[in-house]
Every structure is written in structure tokens, then in C-alpha cells.
Amino acid sequence: MESPPKQHATSPKESLSWPVVAIAGLIVAIFYFVVKGFGPGQKQSPLVWLESAWNAETRMEHGFMVPLVSVGLIAWQWKKLREVASRADWRGLPVAILGVFFFILAHRTGQPRIAIGGLPFILWGSAWYLWGWQVARLTLFPMFIFLMAIPLPQIQLATTKLQLLSTELAQVGCSWFGVDIEIRGVKLYSTNSNWEPLEIDEGCGGIRSLMALILISSVWAYLAKMALWKKALLCFSAIPLAILGNMLRLTSIFVIAEYGDPDFARNSWHDWSGLLIFYPISLILLLMTHSLLEGGMPKLRKLRTRKTVVVSQSPAN
């Protein structure tokens, strides 16, 4: 009796026509790269507007990193995506249509943020429709993290509040090291007149570093193997950790100005303290938060588990 032929998993090439995908991708590229109606004078396409919006004024100089991270996460699990790809799933079609509706609405109103916000819906819904739910599940985060590339419309208000908070926290940090300062608005004065007044400007408020750390913590939480509520807690911990890291960075500037060279503190150290103080401290604190949620350092926990298994399997004396 002959055995039935083996069922092979449906590959992406078998589940759809790649020319159709290429044509659909070309249409999306034309709408987002070529079709104008946004930005100054409504002379920019959505993605051209987005690239121009990644500037110091919006505190989004790191915006170009977001699509790179998105593509990198998809490439990282490309092999698994090919394995789980299945037949078309019509449930993804309404999601893609919703994204198209966002684009049409944005074009009618001249709102580029709405157009950019619709792009992940179009791409994710299309992936769901063409390759099935398992592909959609794996690409959900990599697709929608692209929304973090959109500059916030009320960023100036958040910048001002963070600027005032940073000023107060800098005074607290300086008191730990015996540096007496006086606050006048967003300027800090040495009570001993050891250095010229230093101002906590918009950049020093930490909004730029906060946005970058939120991106890092989001990807970190996505890659971490832990419960969903722990992932959310790890992601949102970036907000207090960024504030704390910026407080220590500002404190170091005033301490150096008080006990060292004020000119060096105001210029060279101010420019480099973000890389030398903020990011190392913030990333260490993020690692500590991860370890606290997981009950220990991930690597050490694996080593302890391996040693426990070896000891339990060893023969008794």
C-alpha cells in the first residue's frame, strides 16, 4: 500500500505571485515618495517631509534610526518568517484598507503625520493578507515601531516641562556634592560666584535623550524573553531612567564647574557628557531593571540553571 505524499509547508513563493507584490510595493513607494501635498507649500511627499522633520527643532535627530531598527528586526527573523508563511488571510485586508484611508484623509487635509501613521497599517495588513497570521504576529512590533519616527506635534510643551524638572533635579544632585546653587527660572547660579551662571537650555532638558532611550528600551523589551507585563514595565521604565540619567549628567557639569575648570565644564564636558555619562548610566540602569524583573542577570541565571541540572544528574557518592 502506497503511503500518502508528504504535505510540504506552503512557502511565500507558493502562496502569492511575487510580481503582484512588486507592483503593490511600487504603488506604495510612489504614494509615499512621489505624491506631493504635504509640508511647506504642500510641495513634499510624506517620506520627504518625514526626513526633513528629523531635526534639532523637533528633537528627532535620531529619527533615521527607527526605520533601520524596523528593517533590522524583520531581517533578524527572516528565516522564521519564511517558515511560518502560509496561505492568504483575508482578515489582513481591512487593516491595509484602513491604512489607505489614513493616507487619503491625510492628503485631503495636508497632515503628513496621519499619512505616515497609515504606512505601518498598509504594510502590516498586506503582510497579514498575503502570508497569514503567523507572519503578521512576528512583524507586528517591527512594523509599528516605525510610528516612533514621527515627531510629536506638542514636543515644545513637553520640552519646557522637562527643562524645568531638570533644573530642580540638578539642584538636588549638586547638594549631594556640597555645591550650593540658586535657581532663577532655568538658570543656575553659584552662591559662591565660583562660575558664571549656567542655563538648562532645551537640549539639556533631556527630551532628545528621553526619546532615544524609549526607542532602545522598546527594542530591548521586545527581544527580552519575559512575560508581556514585564516587557511593558521594562519599556516604560525608560522615562524615569532617562530623567535620572540626565540629572546625573547635569550634576557632573556643575560639580566640575565648582571644583574644577568652569570653561571645560561649560564647553567640552557639556558636549561629551551625554555619551560619557547619560547613556552608560541609563543603559546600566535599564540592565538592572531587566535583571530585577527576571530575578537576576540573564546570563548568570542560565549558568546557575545549568549548574543545578549538572549537579542533579551527577551520580551520588
Side-chain angles (χ1 to χ4, degrees), residues 181-311:
I181 59 176
E182 179 184 351
I183 296 178
R184 300 178 191 174
V186 292
K187 283 189 176 182
L188 291 93
Y189 294 76
S190 170
T191 57
N192 301 324
S193 300
N194 291 338
W195 36 270
E196 294 295 323
L198 294 173
E199 180 179 357
I200 307 296
D201 58 20
E202 294 180 352
C204 284
I207 189 67
R208 185 185 300 108
S209 302
L210 172 61
M211 299 299 292
L213 193 63
I214 289 177
L215 173 63
I216 294 172
S217 66
S218 299
V219 176
W220 191 321
Y222 172 72
L223 297 176
K225 297 181 180 180
M226 57 173 64
L228 182 60
W229 70 270
K230 292 183 179 181
K231 289 177 178 286
L233 194 58
L234 180 62
C235 179
F236 287 108
S237 68
I239 298 176
L241 295 183
I243 293 174
L244 178 58
N246 194 52
M247 170 191 174
L248 297 176
R249 183 184 75 87
L250 293 174
T251 299
S252 70
I253 295 174
F254 293 109
V255 169
I256 292 176
E258 179 75 14
Y259 299 115
D261 186 347
D263 291 333
F264 172 77
R266 182 189 300 272
N267 298 304
S268 298
W269 183 249
H270 172 273
D271 296 338
W272 287 95
S273 57
L275 291 175
L276 300 178
I277 296 292
F278 175 81
Y279 284 106
I281 289 179
S282 299
L283 293 177
I284 290 173
L285 291 174
L286 196 61
L287 177 60
M288 292 174 63
T289 303
H290 182 185
S291 302
L292 181 63
L293 291 172
E294 286 293 85
M297 295 287 286
K299 290 288 185 180
L300 296 178
R301 192 174 62 255
K302 290 181 180 179
L303 289 175
R304 288 199 301 267
T305 303
R306 190 177 303 170
K307 287 181 179 180
T308 303
V309 172
V310 171
V311 171

Side-chain angles (χ1 to χ4, degrees), residues 70-176:
S70 179
V71 173
L73 290 175
I74 293 176
W76 173 66
Q77 52 187 357
W78 181 253
K79 183 178 179 180
K80 189 172 184 179
L81 288 172
R82 290 181 60 85
E83 292 175 353
V84 302
S86 60
R87 297 183 182 277
D89 189 338
W90 66 268
R91 292 176 298 176
L93 194 57
V95 179
I97 294 175
L98 178 61
V100 174
F101 172 76
F102 284 153
F103 181 87
I104 296 174
L105 176 64
H107 193 268
R108 295 286 295 178
T109 59
Q111 296 295 325
R113 289 181 176 86
I114 299 178
I116 298 299
L119 182 57
F121 286 91
I122 295 175
L123 297 179
W124 186 66
S126 299
W128 187 357
Y129 173 71
L130 294 172
W131 292 297
W133 167 246
Q134 291 302 320
V135 169
R137 181 180 62 85
L138 291 175
T139 57
L140 176 61
F141 179 83
M143 291 285 191
F144 282 92
I145 197 178
F146 187 77
L147 296 177
M148 297 183 67
I150 305 176
L152 298 176
Q154 299 296 329
I155 193 66
Q156 294 299 331
L157 179 60
T159 299
T160 301
K161 291 184 177 180
L162 196 57
Q163 189 178 1
L164 295 173
L165 177 61
S166 298
T167 303
E168 297 176 358
L169 292 178
Q171 184 183 39
V172 173
C174 288
S175 65
W176 297 345

Side-chain angles (χ1 to χ4, degrees), residues 52-61 113 151-152 155-156:
S52 67
W54 292 335
N55 53 51
E57 184 178 350
T58 62
R59 308 291 181 262
M60 286 291 295
E61 296 97 319
R113 289 181 176 86
L152 298 176
I155 193 66
Q156 294 299 331

